[in-house]
Amino acid sequence: MTETQLAQAIAEQTGHAFHDLTDAQLDPDVVALLPGHLCRRYQAIPIERLDRTALPPRRATSDISFEGVQRTLVVAMLDPTDIIALDDITSITDMVVEPVVVARDALAQVFERYIRSDDELSDLSAVLEADAAQDPLSITESIEGGADAPPVVRFVNLLIAQGVNDRASDIHIEPGERELTVRFRIDGVLHEMQRADRSIQDGITSRLKIMANIDIAERRRPQDGRISLHHEGRQIDLRVATLPTVWGEKIVMRILDTAGNAMTMDDLQLSKVNRKRFEKAINRPHGMVLVTGPTGSGKSTTLHTALHAVSSPQVNVITIEDPVEFRMHGISQIQVNPKAGLTFQSALRSVLRADPDVVLVGEIRDQETAIISIEAALTGHLVLSSLHTNDAPSALTRLVEIGAEPYLVGTALSAAVAQRLARRLCPRCKQPYPADAELLGRIGFPIAPGEPPQLFRAAGCQSCSNTGYRGRLALHEVMVITEEVEHMFVRNATGNEVRKLAVEQGMIPLRDDGWAKVAAGLTTIEEVLRVSA
């Protein structure tokens, strides 16, 4: 059953009308009749204001005036029988409320487009500034009790909720000389969201430290922590890092949606050639598959998608991660804890004694982890891991730099995948434009003679917050370690020589994969040039 079918059934059962909010264009003045925090609390939003002719009361007396017009507010709700919500909305708006039933997913999209917490955050920051002006210590002291400082608590909660609703991957809270700046990283690009007086900095920092179980008295060294909370029916984890700067502690929170739906191989949008090579590598009974790229390039998502594809009740799958970003059913996942002596090396040695078929090592960072992983791949295990390199051929040389023997690397490694994340064009507002053949030729874009490609540019609409982009997609480079590549590498060939041979054997470079996705109308030339070398 879909959300729409469920809403239609509720409407039929309760005797209310069903309203389809998909692609709805609402009047912001009507939406503003109900405060945003109440919209989220009651899962309701005003969608239309009507002035109807009202019937006179049955018993009209001389002291009762009758205007003849009844102001009606049509409110889209998940539960049209919520009497408390209806009474509160009637009291706040001073109108007759007419509830209609909507689908949950459509209401969430409307919330994302029309209801933001920016204004409320500004109001709360003004309250906090006033409190700090009266007593600079009042904020820090009061938040230790939590409930004693509702402005600080509400500010932090709204900030996190807005980041989740905006699909941000990171929230940056940055102190300056005079201002505290909040920025969200959305689709890989930082956007400034909020500026507040620097006087509220200590209160916000202390509140987040308490939530993340971090020592609030320590301000001279970096600290790490974790926050778990529920938001709109799903669990959200935040990885918190503090950094001491000249103006105070900077806080960066990585948002981890641990309850996110498991991705499939189709969701990775690999090209036919790359998908065939990748699936062949992960379906081997042994060997090592590495996913490479910079921080935030989607390596963990690709690895867990591969893990989901190969896991089954007949296979023993164990992961070692820092942190555990995706919780998967039927898989044993280990969280690294260096303070307790549980490192990648010690955990990996213990895991290999637990009879695993597939092992996922979150990241190869040192010589011991690299050697143990390679030995596991050579002794009948499938090992999946990530590495920080610029391209797929560099994975070989990087393992040797860490301390592994070249002949072992060439034998153990089955495939290396390099990837980058480019912003995806918003499907609602992308615009076609005529391609400039001369420009395409200069940047190396493949052009078929007599057939100029149909390209698209970012335009901007309400759905994508006027950026022209919504979501991201990966560009891939899959190198299979063939016998020729192995022999060349053992002879101490350079990375460029290995790359040239891999391309001759069918490897599609990152930028060429990007051009294919530009031609398919999924992203833009500017995005491919931004993320690929």
Side-chain angles (χ1 to χ4, degrees), residues 226-288:
R226 194 179 183 96
I227 299 173
S228 294
L229 49 88
H230 288 276
H231 178 70
E232 296 183 354
R234 57 191 173 126
Q235 181 174 338
I236 304 294
D237 284 0
L238 294 97
R239 190 173 62 196
V240 182
T242 67
L243 292 171
T245 69
V246 292
W247 302 117
E249 287 182 284
K250 172 176 177 172
I251 296 181
V252 179
M253 295 183 284
R254 168 66 60 88
I255 299 175
L256 309 172
D257 189 355
T258 59
N261 294 327
M263 293 182 65
T264 64
M265 295 298 291
D266 292 334
D267 297 324
L268 293 180
Q269 291 197 319
L270 290 154
S271 66
K272 290 183 179 179
V273 174
N274 285 342
R275 178 166 177 170
K276 183 178 179 181
R277 290 174 155 223
F278 187 57
E279 287 184 334
K280 183 178 180 180
I282 64 175
N283 285 314
R284 291 183 60 181
H286 57 81
M288 178 187 288

Side-chain angles (χ1 to χ4, degrees), residues 363-438:
E363 183 182 344
I364 294 178
R365 302 176 180 174
D366 52 67
Q367 179 181 7
E368 189 174 356
T369 305
I371 292 174
I372 297 173
S373 299
I374 290 172
E375 290 175 350
L378 292 172
T379 54
H381 305 88
L382 175 63
V383 179
L384 307 176
S385 188
S386 68
L387 204 61
H388 288 283
T389 65
N390 291 326
D391 57 10
S394 299
L396 293 159
T397 54
R398 176 63 181 150
L399 287 174
V400 174
E401 288 173 1
I402 290 176
E405 293 292 340
Y407 69 93
L408 291 178
V409 172
T411 305
L413 197 59
S414 301
V417 182
Q419 71 175 52
R420 300 289 189 278
L421 290 180
R423 289 185 291 176
R424 184 193 298 266
L425 276 169
C426 175
R428 297 176 183 269
C429 64
K430 64 180 182 180
Q431 295 178 348
Y433 70 96
D436 184 345
E438 182 181 353

Side-chain angles (χ1 to χ4, degrees), residues 285-300:
H286 57 81
M288 178 187 288
V289 178
L290 292 177
V291 180
T292 71
T295 301
S297 60
K299 300 187 297 294
S300 295

Side-chain angles (χ1 to χ4, degrees), residues 51-267:
D51 292 330
R52 292 173 173 167
T53 302
L55 296 175
R58 293 184 179 180
R59 295 181 180 178
T61 60
S62 57
D63 60 340
I64 296 179
S65 61
F66 173 63
E67 298 179 355
V69 176
Q70 175 179 286
R71 294 189 305 163
T72 302
L73 186 64
V74 181
V75 179
M77 306 179 68
L78 296 183
D79 181 8
T81 64
D82 188 343
I83 302 300
I84 295 176
L86 294 174
D87 285 348
D88 283 357
I89 295 172
T90 301
S91 300
I92 292 168
T93 62
D94 196 23
M95 296 185 190
V96 176
V97 176
E98 180 181 309
V100 296
V101 185
V102 293
R104 184 181 297 273
D105 52 359
L107 184 64
Q109 291 179 3
V110 171
F111 279 176
E112 189 176 324
R113 289 161 54 191
Y114 290 98
I115 298 179
R116 297 185 55 83
S117 304
D118 298 12
D119 294 338
E120 192 171 356
L121 285 169
S122 298
D123 295 341
L124 284 171
S125 63
V127 173
L128 293 172
E129 289 169 26
D131 291 345
Q134 295 175 3
D135 183 0
L137 296 178
S138 63
I139 295 179
T140 305
E141 291 175 351
S142 63
I143 62 167
E144 293 180 4
D148 297 330
V152 176
V153 175
R154 288 181 61 200
F155 186 94
V156 171
N157 290 346
L158 278 171
L159 201 61
I160 295 173
Q162 190 62 61
V164 174
N165 292 332
D166 283 354
R167 301 175 293 105
S169 60
D170 301 86
I171 299 175
H172 293 241
I173 301 174
E174 303 167 333
E177 183 179 5
R178 296 182 179 85
E179 293 179 312
L180 183 72
T181 305
V182 178
R183 297 195 291 172
F184 291 170
R185 186 178 293 280
I186 303 173
D187 295 336
V189 179
L190 281 170
H191 300 269
E192 185 176 306
M193 306 304 296
Q194 188 79 19
R195 280 183 180 266
D197 190 86
R198 189 168 179 266
S199 59
I200 73 171
Q201 172 187 330
D202 290 343
I204 303 304
T205 301
S206 297
R207 172 62 184 169
L208 286 169
K209 282 184 166 184
I210 290 172
M211 294 175 69
N213 197 24
I214 292 175
D215 183 3
I216 64 171
E218 178 58 70
R219 300 183 178 184
R220 297 168 298 177
R221 62 181 178 88
Q223 296 186 81
D224 296 320
R226 194 179 183 96
I227 299 173
S228 294
L229 49 88
H230 288 276
H231 178 70
E232 296 183 354
R234 57 191 173 126
Q235 181 174 338
I236 304 294
D237 284 0
L238 294 97
R239 190 173 62 196
V240 182
T242 67
L243 292 171
T245 69
V246 292
W247 302 117
E249 287 182 284
K250 172 176 177 172
I251 296 181
V252 179
M253 295 183 284
R254 168 66 60 88
I255 299 175
L256 309 172
D257 189 355
T258 59
N261 294 327
M263 293 182 65
T264 64
M265 295 298 291
D266 292 334
D267 297 324

